[in-house]
Amino acid sequence: MDVLSNFAGGLELALSAENLLFVLLGVSVGMMVGVLPGLGPAPTVALLLPITFGLDSTTAIILLAGVYYGAMYGGTITSVLLRIPGEAASVVSTVDGHEMAKNGQAGRALGLAAIGSFIGGLVATACLILFAPALADFALSFGSPEYAVLALLGLILVSYTSAGTMTKSLIAVGIGLILATIGQDPMTGGSRWALGVPALLDGIDEVAVIMGLFGLSEILNNVADNRRRRSSIRNVGRVLPTGRDLRENAGAIGRGSVIGTGLGLVPGGGGVLGSLVSYGVERKVSATPERFGRGAPQAVSGPETANNSASISTFIPLLTLGFPPNGVLAVIFGALLIQGVTPGPTLIADHPEIFWGVVGSMVIGNVMLLIMNIPLVPLFVKIAEIPPEVLAALTVAILIVGAYSINGNAFDVGVMVAAGIAGYLLRRLGIPPAPIVLAFILGPIFETNFRRSLILSDGSFGIFVSSPVTVVLLIAAMTVLASAVLPKVRRARETIEAED
Amino acid sequence: MTDHTGMTDRTDADTDRVLFARIGFGVLSTLAALTTLAAFTTLDLGSAAQPAPGFWVACVSVMTLLLVVAALLNPRIVLDEVSRISKSEASVVAQAVPLLVLAPSLLTTLGLIITTAIASCYWFAVVTRTGLVRSLIGAVAITVGIEVVFLELLQVPFPAGSWTGVR
């Protein structure tokens, strides 16, 4: 009953005029971002951070969450019609989705993806409602060693699931952790590596770093593509799926919901991993696997369901453990900190309005997206044709103004620019930005709990294997490391990646 | 030079890519080594029982240095996902960098509105080589949009430019 009444309260909060407006704004921006190739949900959420400064904390997170799951819906449109994934989680749909479009079934692909995403979104939201409070209660028993080991596991998992070799992702983690040490020592409050610069005494502003690493580096990375033009399939056809379509895809949508929801909980997981695994599973269980790659509807409905459900279930570790499992959630973590709210096990008890308001908004947002998706496809195709140079110029202007608006000083703009140029060069060296951001955000938490644990144990590292929770987490971390290092397992992983 | 199979071009591109990766990881190794040195020489490390501010920094910088050196010594790792910056890309990015580097100074001296107009116009005209008329129209549209959202709707208290007195 508690859960139901809390959920009803959350729905009521999300249905207030202001929040309803920001749900609509969030999912609309998310759809556009999903449609526009080259600007993923993480850079956009980073771009929108300055806009949230003046908002109530619940409204701010409602807006940013809407952008994230809205992008999952939007990404399908360009994948199917243009064969260009608007964002990474929709890569899988470029194959079968576009094949369906070439066969005059674009509307069918988009309709199935929209309905699958809607169902997946609701399943993940239900899990958020049912399991998040229990997980938060469990996490209340965590001490410093558990948090330190959890941070370690999270960073290892994020490195494991990032693109490229794990060594490079771990280097990215190292860079993020080092950057996080600049400024105030989190335990003594003393200055560390401020280099006599007053603006560095409080450390590097995380919003400026995030905007640079995700936003500016993305723009610089794509700047050479600015004159490229795209052609699209304009004949969308019937979007609403038939009863037969739904029956044939019910299994794929059901499996996609479970896979996406589960993988969203894993650090480093989220939409990309969910859609890839769902595609692999659908091909394995299909009676006609030879149709995959030639326009199989289940190859669109399953992965698209999985990426949306994963984008919602990723909020469970953030809102219960205070642990951002991927880059987008790291930005939302930063947004909560700016609002004076520390994500963690006490968030649901201390700020129920944020948790239940966001949950309520997810239900409403998914309904809005379903309604918008089907009739507005032609409009979003037009958005995808916005000249990239216009988008790039607008983004650069927003980045400069947004970084300036953090504290009203130009130093943050300099930090954003430096992070952007460094991020661009690191990307070209194969070092991904997401682990840098996650490590930068998690760095102070990791350091504080690591040092506190050592003080508690009088310098004994045995404290990190002193409880069942830390042992399980360490075994998981070691297993992940071993699977990346052992050649046999590594080759198998590479084969799976190549197949996907 | 290219033979009829295009082999020479491919070999040149591969050599450039290897060189780019090696230089990049060389710079990273140097930075990681300097960070490690600075951690050990400028910060108090304390002990395992009483870790001081430098303890964590030392652990993290040593780990990073080891990883960077391991990558540098392993061609498979160092070349993974490396995408060399072509001359045309470098030229476009080089045109963007002056604007980005000057942006903080422009904001403090000229204020937000004029800086946004200059930055947008520069980006259109110089970085993406858009025609002058389209650049001007685009810059005006973006500046008006930024002013409406940040100054009028969100009421963000931006300081005025020291030279212009305009926000």
Side-chain angles (χ1 to χ4, degrees), chain A residues 129-417:
Chain A
I129 294 167
L130 293 173
F131 301 126
L135 187 59
D137 282 345
F138 175 62
L140 280 172
S141 64
F142 284 15
S144 288
E146 283 82 2
Y147 271 107
V149 177
L150 188 64
L152 176 72
L153 172 65
L155 292 174
I156 287 174
L157 276 168
V158 166
S159 305
Y160 184 73
T161 51
S162 293
T165 65
M166 193 164 174
T167 310
K168 284 193 173 175
S169 298
L170 286 172
I171 291 170
V173 166
I175 293 170
L177 290 176
I178 290 172
L179 285 176
T181 64
I182 296 171
Q184 240 178 24
D185 174 32
M187 291 189 73
T188 64
S191 162
R192 203 164 51 178
W193 287 5
L195 306 170
V197 180
L200 281 178
L201 286 172
D202 283 336
I204 304 173
D205 194 283
E206 65 259 20
V207 179
V209 172
I210 290 168
M211 290 178 91
L213 280 174
F214 280 145
L216 187 59
S217 76
E218 185 91 28
I219 291 295
L220 292 175
N221 207 37
N222 294 332
V223 81
D225 292 336
N226 275 347
R227 291 184 200 91
R228 195 177 290 171
R229 288 286 179 272
R230 298 178 284 268
S231 61
S232 64
I233 291 171
R234 290 177 170 277
N235 183 17
V236 174
R238 180 196 161 98
V239 179
L240 212 59
T242 62
R244 189 180 166 195
D245 281 336
L246 291 175
R247 277 194 302 279
E248 283 177 0
N249 286 274
I253 290 171
R255 285 185 290 274
S257 300
V258 174
I259 290 167
T261 303
L263 288 175
L265 300 172
V266 180
V272 182
L273 196 61
S275 59
L276 285 172
V277 172
S278 169
Y279 183 86
V281 167
E282 289 313 314
R283 194 172 53 182
K284 284 237 162 31
V285 302
S286 173
T288 53
E290 68 280 359
R291 287 181 62 204
F292 278 66
R294 294 174 187 167
Q298 292 82 0
V300 178
S301 60
E304 289 299 332
T305 303
N307 70 30
N308 194 47
S309 53
S311 72
I312 287 176
S313 65
T314 50
F315 279 83
I316 296 178
L318 177 76
L319 299 176
T320 59
L321 304 173
F323 192 91
N326 61 35
V328 183
L329 273 290
V331 186
I332 296 177
F333 182 99
L336 281 164
L337 291 181
I338 291 165
Q339 295 284 341
V341 177
T342 307
T346 58
L347 185 140
I348 299 176
D350 293 347
H351 302 279
E353 74 287 355
I354 294 180
F355 178 79
W356 293 106
V358 170
V359 167
S361 78
M362 285 170 170
V363 175
I364 295 164
N366 273 285
V367 173
M368 281 180 180
L369 282 164
L370 183 68
I371 295 168
M372 283 162 67
N373 214 297
I374 291 174
L376 296 184
V377 165
L379 174 70
F380 283 107
V381 173
K382 283 221 174 303
I383 289 170
E385 289 169 354
I386 289 177
E389 66 268 21
V390 172
L391 189 66
L394 178 63
T395 307
V396 169
I398 294 176
L399 283 168
I400 292 172
V401 175
Y404 195 43
S405 69
I406 300 167
N407 298 306
N409 73 48
F411 183 80
D412 290 327
V413 181
V415 169
M416 185 274 294
V417 169

